[in-house]
Amino acid sequence: LNLLNYLDRYVLSAVLPRLIVDLGLTNLEAGLLATVFLLGYFVTSPIFGALGDRLPRKGLIALGILIWSAATIASGLASNIMLLLAARAMVGVGEASYATLAPTVIDDITPTERKGRALSIFYIATPVGSALGFIIGGIIEKLYGWHAAFFVAGVPGIVLALVMLFIEEPQRKPREDKPDILRDLGTLSKVKLYRQGVLGYCAYTAAIGAFSFWAPQFLFKRYAMSLASANTVFGGIIVVAGALGTIIGGRWADAQSKKIDASFKLDPLNPERSFREQGYRDASPAEMERLLDEVHQRRVKSLLQICAVGSLVGAPRANPHRDRRPG
């Protein structure tokens, strides 16, 4: 499902050059197709998060899949920019439900020492699904036109949404207080590592989002590649580099977590008991909370450092010897 999620998202980029010509779009109008998707995603993610605290998550996830799949099919039926903008906004709404809640299910059923590996398996579908969106979109567009590419991407989700209704949702610990979005946002805004993580991810998404959205158009126009070839080459790069990066990052995260646990001599399944066996037997609840928070802060900081290194490695470098065409 996560693979299909990203396939549906990037099939638009794969057919964008043809879509621009057929609908007579300016680059600004074409760029708005990505913007409205993100607005739909951004505005409704907190809503689905709040609903996920109160309602069965699998039903909300299934609903999200149905919405984004139907909206993807509607993208292929759109005959003008306004209909296409509306469809892409709804794709963002549907993906917000899935992307917000699906990782929490994995988190609930995965032991601490295996979370990095489990989530890397989930997130490896991001580069693979994105690559398939480019490759399949390019091939289908060449054979049957850009409308058909959206149909091929959207129809499987209608069927696969039913899969979510058959999973056994893990039990969650009851909350001591009621969810409050404004209060929780206020609390999170005071956490330095959270602020750094959010700001860093915003910068990363801005760069990667713009690059991936326009890459096929750039290769098509700048290097006169066929659209199918541009999508296949770009998709191949994404799937190889993205898969390697996701696997390395997941294993690296698990290794860092084990290293931190070893430095504190902790049992990851019961860190509080480990502290009490190390001389903190009479520690007050407040003191124990401070110790556990210190470990948590170390873990989060190490994960953010992995993200920083990965972003630095992936930063593009200007080539002073690039070819210059006359005029």
Side-chain angles (χ1 to χ4, degrees), residues 182-250:
L182 294 179
R183 181 203 61 203
D184 293 343
L185 286 175
T187 301
L188 289 171
S189 67
K190 298 175 184 178
V191 180
K192 182 179 178 181
L193 288 177
Y194 181 80
R195 295 199 306 270
Q196 291 174 333
V198 169
L199 291 174
Y201 198 58
C202 284
Y204 166 86
T205 304
I208 294 298
F211 179 73
S212 59
F213 185 79
W214 289 105
Q217 171 79 344
F218 172 74
L219 295 174
F220 177 71
K221 299 286 286 187
R222 176 67 175 79
Y223 295 105
M225 297 176 67
S226 70
L227 189 53
S229 296
N231 281 301
T232 299
V233 170
F234 188 63
I237 292 171
I238 289 176
V239 72
V240 174
L244 286 174
T246 305
I247 293 171
I248 292 171

Side-chain angles (χ1 to χ4, degrees), residues 250-269:
R251 291 185 176 274
W252 191 357
D254 283 342
Q256 287 293 96
S257 180
K258 290 179 181 178
K259 183 178 178 180
I260 291 169
D261 288 340
S263 68
F264 283 95
K265 300 179 180 178
L266 297 182
D267 176 359
L269 298 179

Side-chain angles (χ1 to χ4, degrees), residues 85-253:
L85 286 171
R88 297 315 294 177
M90 291 307 297
V91 171
V93 172
E95 290 194 17
S97 172
Y98 178 81
T100 301
L101 300 175
T104 69
V105 176
I106 297 173
D107 186 61
D108 282 348
I109 63 175
T110 309
T112 301
E113 69 276 13
R114 292 176 54 202
K115 287 188 188 297
R117 184 173 300 180
L119 288 171
S120 71
I121 293 171
F122 176 75
Y123 284 117
I124 201 172
T126 298
V128 176
S130 302
L132 287 176
F134 287 110
I135 295 171
I136 293 175
I139 293 173
I140 297 300
E141 187 282 327
K142 181 179 180 180
L143 295 175
Y144 305 106
W146 64 266
H147 299 276
F150 287 108
F151 302 152
V152 171
V155 169
I158 303 294
V159 178
L160 288 176
L162 298 175
V163 173
M164 286 304 306
L165 300 178
F166 293 97
I167 71 168
E168 182 178 348
E169 185 164 339
Q171 291 290 328
R172 289 177 291 185
K173 295 179 180 179
R175 291 178 61 111
E176 296 179 358
D177 54 0
K178 294 182 179 180
D180 185 322
I181 293 178
L182 294 179
R183 181 203 61 203
D184 293 343
L185 286 175
T187 301
L188 289 171
S189 67
K190 298 175 184 178
V191 180
K192 182 179 178 181
L193 288 177
Y194 181 80
R195 295 199 306 270
Q196 291 174 333
V198 169
L199 291 174
Y201 198 58
C202 284
Y204 166 86
T205 304
I208 294 298
F211 179 73
S212 59
F213 185 79
W214 289 105
Q217 171 79 344
F218 172 74
L219 295 174
F220 177 71
K221 299 286 286 187
R222 176 67 175 79
Y223 295 105
M225 297 176 67
S226 70
L227 189 53
S229 296
N231 281 301
T232 299
V233 170
F234 188 63
I237 292 171
I238 289 176
V239 72
V240 174
L244 286 174
T246 305
I247 293 171
I248 292 171
R251 291 185 176 274
W252 191 357

